[in-house]
Amino acid sequence: MALKDLPTKECYIPGSAACPGCPATIALRIVYKALGKNTVKVVPACCTAVIESLHPHTSFDIPTMNIAFEAAAAGASGVEAGLRMQGKTDTTVVAWAGDGGTYDIGIQALSGALERNTNFIYICYNNEIYSNTGIQRSGATPYGAWTTTTVLGKTEFRKEMGEIIMAHHIPYSAQTCIAYPEDLFKKLRKAKSINGPKYIEIMAPCPPGWRFPMEKTVEMGTMAVETGAWALYEVEKDKITFNGKSKLILEGKIDRKPIDDWIIYQGRFRHLFRPKKDTKRIKEIEEHIEKMWERYRSCYL
Amino acid sequence: MKKYNVVTSISYPKKGAMGKTGNWRVFKPILDKEKCVKCLRCWIFCPEATIIRNKDNTVDIDYEYCKGCGICANVCKVNAIELEREGARK
């Protein structure tokens, strides 16, 4: 698939409230292209609740329901049940939440919806912070990163949501990144064609939250995959397949780039480089990622 | 546009729901159509959907809503898009 094969239809309308260089709107545009207009979206409190813009106007040309922070998956279950009773089974129901609404606040509703076998797609766009409320730490924030609540750098490692989802043994789950639109599009189309609960997580580097210049959004996404900090994979009926660069890293055909290449551009890791390079903590980040890949190799290769 | 008779508050889609976001811009992307190889990377990566894709895969920029983030210039492999400070060219 090439970029020119993607549909031209836009359901995202210009003139929204998103920050310049927002990764969520890049992801939203591709999601809308892949799922088409016959879609209902459920949005909890997250950046997207702001990007929608102010009442009485909206920037999304798709039915969207706003709901409480922890209730994205529960709300989507209700919408799906309602549509099913009306006989509208061809409508795709999407829950679209940030990493705060998925990793921390929404995890019980998500786990419940997956266990109930609700026929919906849960999409988590992961920018590794609560960026809407002002850059607080979340369960997805990596070790050593600055946020407004971890001023000297986070002291814990992030959790692996992909593997928590895998433990639910759902028909389809995937991890992808905004820097690879074809990969994202393909995974969404596949998710749409499968019946049952689906989970897709999108890495979305946030310029104001990660403190990097807004034109580098896509570059940061590419670097996250190339340094191995983020893996592209899909799990279909408990069989895991790595995609793109992550596949080459898993098979050892290319080496991971050093993590410095990625974090040096991000202001949230600035205290690791200035005034003196904190080699101990950078080494800890590197070792954590290496351990993750060793686990991937031993379990999934 | 179809209006719905519902009890709850409802918003309707509109272009420029937050006004003309083009005035947020500091740097303006200028496209050199001769250098463009129609790879469409700028089109897919534009966060604001302001890069307009024409039928023959050439692109145009909608300056009314472009927020000037510069992603298009950064992802262009042939450097066909350059950023210029707003008002530098008279």
Side-chain angles (χ1 to χ4, degrees):
Chain A
M1 165 174 284
L3 285 181
K4 62 174 186 295
D5 302 328
L6 298 181
T8 45
K9 173 96 183 116
E10 293 285 352
C11 290
Y12 171 83
I13 310 169
S16 76
C19 308
C22 178
T25 52
I26 300 179
L28 271 173
R29 285 184 60 215
I30 301 165
V31 168
Y32 290 163
K33 280 179 197 302
L35 302 181
K37 229 181 144 181
N38 194 4
T39 304
V40 177
K41 191 153 114 275
V42 179
V43 178
C46 63
C47 279
T48 307
V50 176
I51 294 168
E52 278 168 11
S53 312
L54 298 175
H55 179 75
H57 304 303
T58 169
S59 293
F60 300 158
D61 203 2
I62 270 181
T64 305
M65 184 171 85
N66 288 101
I67 202 161
F69 216 146
E70 68 282 9
S77 293
V79 170
E80 192 267 341
L83 288 170
R84 181 154 33 85
M85 288 317 284
Q86 289 177 30
K88 294 176 184 166
T89 44
D90 56 337
T91 306
T92 317
V93 180
V94 181
W96 170 274
D99 60 294
T102 306
Y103 280 64
D104 306 339
I105 302 174
I107 190 166
Q108 54 86 13
L110 169 61
S111 181
L114 298 181
E115 188 266 332
R116 285 193 301 272
N117 247 344
T118 308
N119 181 21
F120 80 131
I121 309 176
Y122 191 99
I123 303 176
C124 163
Y125 65 108
N126 177 3
N127 53 18
E128 305 191 327
I129 32 161
Y130 288 87
S131 51
N132 182 27
T133 49
I135 322 175
Q136 287 87 2
R137 98 194 252 291
S138 82
T141 309
Y143 177 78
W146 166 91
T147 63
T148 48
T149 46
T150 55
V151 182
L152 297 171
K154 195 182 169 192
T155 48
E156 301 85 22
F157 292 99
R158 74 174 173 90
K159 61 179 166 189
E160 282 272 338
M161 197 65 187
E163 283 170 303
I164 297 175
I165 300 296
M166 257 189 253
H168 289 77
H169 305 291
I170 56 171
Y172 187 76
S173 71
Q175 271 193 189
T176 175
C177 176
I178 53 127
Y180 300 91
E182 296 102 324
D183 184 69
L184 173 53
F185 185 84
K186 221 164 56 194
K187 283 172 179 170
L188 282 158
R189 273 282 160 93
K190 197 181 250 179
K192 196 188 170 190
S193 69
I194 294 169
N195 200 27
K198 284 87 63 177
Y199 176 88
I200 292 174
E201 188 164 342
I202 307 171
M203 163 56 77
C206 169
W210 295 17
R211 297 279 191 258
F212 63 81
M214 57 194 171
E215 72 270 12
K216 283 193 187 294
T217 304
V218 174
E219 206 181 310
M220 286 294 127
T222 319
M223 293 302 288
V225 173
E226 286 178 2
T227 56
W230 190 250
L232 307 176
Y233 61 73
E234 54 186 341
V235 190
E236 221 177 331
K237 291 185 189 125
D238 288 340
K239 196 182 173 304
I240 182 163
T241 329
F242 281 70
N243 314 100
K245 285 258 163 72
S246 298
K247 188 175 181 210
L248 299 176
I249 294 172
L250 184 83
E251 290 169 351
K253 284 184 183 149
I254 53 168
D255 285 331
R256 283 193 305 110
K257 286 188 179 164
I259 196 72
D260 290 35
D261 289 10
W262 184 51
I263 63 176
I264 199 159
Y265 293 107
Q266 300 172 27
R268 61 174 179 164
F269 288 109
R270 195 175 60 169
H271 56 279
L272 301 185
F273 293 94
R274 271 177 241 168
K276 209 165 83 213
K277 198 171 169 182
D278 190 345
T279 38
K280 185 172 158 275
R281 275 205 277 182
I282 294 173
K283 205 165 149 246
E284 274 179 83
I285 300 173
E286 189 79 72
E287 275 171 1
H288 178 73
I289 292 173
E290 192 48 47
K291 222 158 69 187
M292 183 176 94
W293 280 97
E294 265 166 29
R295 194 178 67 245
Y296 285 161
R297 284 191 192 106
S298 65
C299 295
Y300 308 128
L301 194 63
Chain B
M1 195 198 304
K2 191 182 167 191
K3 296 274 176 186
Y4 296 90
N5 186 21
V6 284
V7 219
T8 178
S9 65
I10 182 165
S11 301
Y12 293 93
K14 188 198 170 208
K15 198 167 186 183
M18 291 301 281
K20 302 239 186 297
T21 47
N23 60 15
W24 297 12
R25 194 168 58 231
V26 177
F27 289 96
K28 184 179 185 178
I30 309 281
L31 170 69
D32 184 348
K33 288 213 172 183
E34 282 180 5
K35 279 192 195 166
C36 177
V37 292
K38 302 180 188 176
C39 69
L40 294 172
R41 277 173 66 83
C42 54
W43 167 72
I44 197 70
F45 285 124
C46 177
E48 213 35 46
T50 50
I51 305 249
I52 301 152
R53 176 181 169 185
N54 301 323
K55 284 234 163 62
D56 59 346
N57 286 342
T58 55
V59 290
D60 283 309
I61 302 170
D62 177 2
Y63 290 116
E64 211 167 333
Y65 296 103
C66 168
K67 289 172 180 167
C69 63
I71 287 183
C72 49
N74 206 36
V75 296
C76 186
K77 299 266 187 197
V78 291
N79 295 327
I81 301 178
E82 268 178 38
L83 292 176
E84 193 177 81
R85 188 170 269 277
E86 242 348 284
R89 194 184 294 181
K90 282 281 172 331

